[in-house]
Amino acid sequence: RSSDLTSDPLTSQEVTLPLAGAGNLRLRDVTHSSMRAYWDAAPGNVRKYIVKYKTDEEEDFKEVEVDGATTSTLLTDLFSQTVYDVNLVAVYDEGASPPRAAQATTEPVPAPQNLRFSEVTTQSFRATWDHGAPDVALYRLAWAPVGNPEKKLETIVDGNKNTMEFEDLQPDTPYLVAVTAIYPDESESEDRKS
């Protein structure tokens, strides 16, 4: 009969640890339209990393996937002067790690630089400038005789141009010229005046 006597089983509960995530997410090299996400590698056999990013106004995250050996990626086509929330997860065969989060604000769009003049005649001159960034969509040029803003004229040129000849000007008259860069997200730089 003593062989039939058994105690209740000793039971306990334990929770397994979550999958380890990447360490120390950093956002660097921030420009008006891009930033680079860097992170410390997650331990173990990481299949891939998923970087998600969005602005406060956007509903859905944009997503970039990189292989498990990579520890940085460039986030592009961002809006200028905008706060971005960035999340990073490490993906294993067993599932995804908890996210690491970081936040950064993109820079203002760069203005054109080094506005200079050449080929000056009695009724014309050429203005040339350096591009503020490679992704300028358009330039707006405005010019008027100094002290006569009501005579201001404007034109738009393609963003790949960096020179324009101003013609039909008044002789012996100083002119104020302003060049404004317009970017694909329709943001505008400060005027570069001379």
Side-chain angles (χ1 to χ4, degrees), residues 27-32 34-38 74:
L27 303 173
R28 302 253 170 85
D29 308 327
V30 178
T31 72
H32 66 284
S34 67
M35 64 180 71
R36 184 167 286 279
Y38 295 89
L74 187 64

Side-chain angles (χ1 to χ4, degrees), residues 11-12 31 44 50 61 63 65 72 75 82 111 118 121 127-128 134 136 138 142 167 169 173 179 182 190:
T11 61
S12 182
T31 72
I50 299 174
F61 279 92
E63 204 171 279
E65 290 187 12
S72 76
L75 310 178
T82 302
S118 62
T121 71
T128 305
V136 174
L138 301 167
E167 299 176 304
L169 305 177
T173 303
V179 182
I182 303 171
E190 292 182 1

Side-chain angles (χ1 to χ4, degrees), residues 45-50 63 65-69 89-92:
N45 187 20
V46 178
R47 286 187 27 226
K48 64 183 174 181
Y49 293 100
I50 299 174
E63 204 171 279
E65 290 187 12
V66 295
D67 68 62
V89 296
V91 178
Y92 296 88

Side-chain angles (χ1 to χ4, degrees), residues 18-167:
L19 291 167
N24 200 17
L25 174 61
R26 300 168 306 282
L27 303 173
R28 302 253 170 85
D29 308 327
V30 178
T31 72
H32 66 284
S33 63
S34 67
M35 64 180 71
R36 184 167 286 279
Y38 295 89
W39 58 91
D40 299 330
N45 187 20
V46 178
R47 286 187 27 226
K48 64 183 174 181
Y49 293 100
I50 299 174
V51 181
K52 297 180 178 184
Y53 58 100
K54 74 176 194 69
T55 68
D56 287 341
E57 292 79 36
E58 291 175 311
E59 293 288 320
D60 299 322
F61 279 92
K62 293 177 183 154
E63 204 171 279
V64 176
E65 290 187 12
V66 295
D67 68 62
T70 302
T71 57
S72 76
T73 190
L74 187 64
L75 310 178
T76 59
D77 298 324
L78 307 180
F79 297 109
S80 64
Q81 294 181 288
T82 302
V83 176
Y84 278 86
D85 294 313
V86 181
N87 291 317
L88 170 72
V89 296
V91 178
Y92 296 88
D93 288 336
E94 302 83 13
S97 71
R100 291 271 184 233
Q103 196 175 68
T105 303
T106 51
E107 298 290 324
V109 292
Q113 300 294 316
N114 197 18
L115 179 58
R116 56 211 180 270
F117 300 96
S118 62
E119 302 174 25
V120 179
T121 71
T122 57
Q123 294 185 313
S124 68
F125 57 79
R126 176 172 294 282
T128 305
W129 59 91
D130 297 336
H131 299 291
D135 59 336
V136 174
L138 301 167
Y139 286 104
R140 181 175 55 244
L141 292 105
W143 65 100
V146 172
N148 282 319
E150 68 280 353
K151 292 191 173 184
K152 179 171 101 172
L153 298 172
E154 283 190 3
T155 192
I156 301 284
V157 298
D158 284 338
N160 60 355
K161 299 231 163 96
N162 73 331
T163 188
M164 182 178 144
E165 187 171 0
F166 296 84
E167 299 176 304

Side-chain angles (χ1 to χ4, degrees), residues 174-192:
Y175 277 82
L176 179 66
V177 176
V179 182
T180 306
I182 303 171
Y183 287 82
D185 67 359
E186 297 181 6
S187 58
E188 296 186 9
S189 72
E190 292 182 1
D191 293 342
R192 187 59 61 206

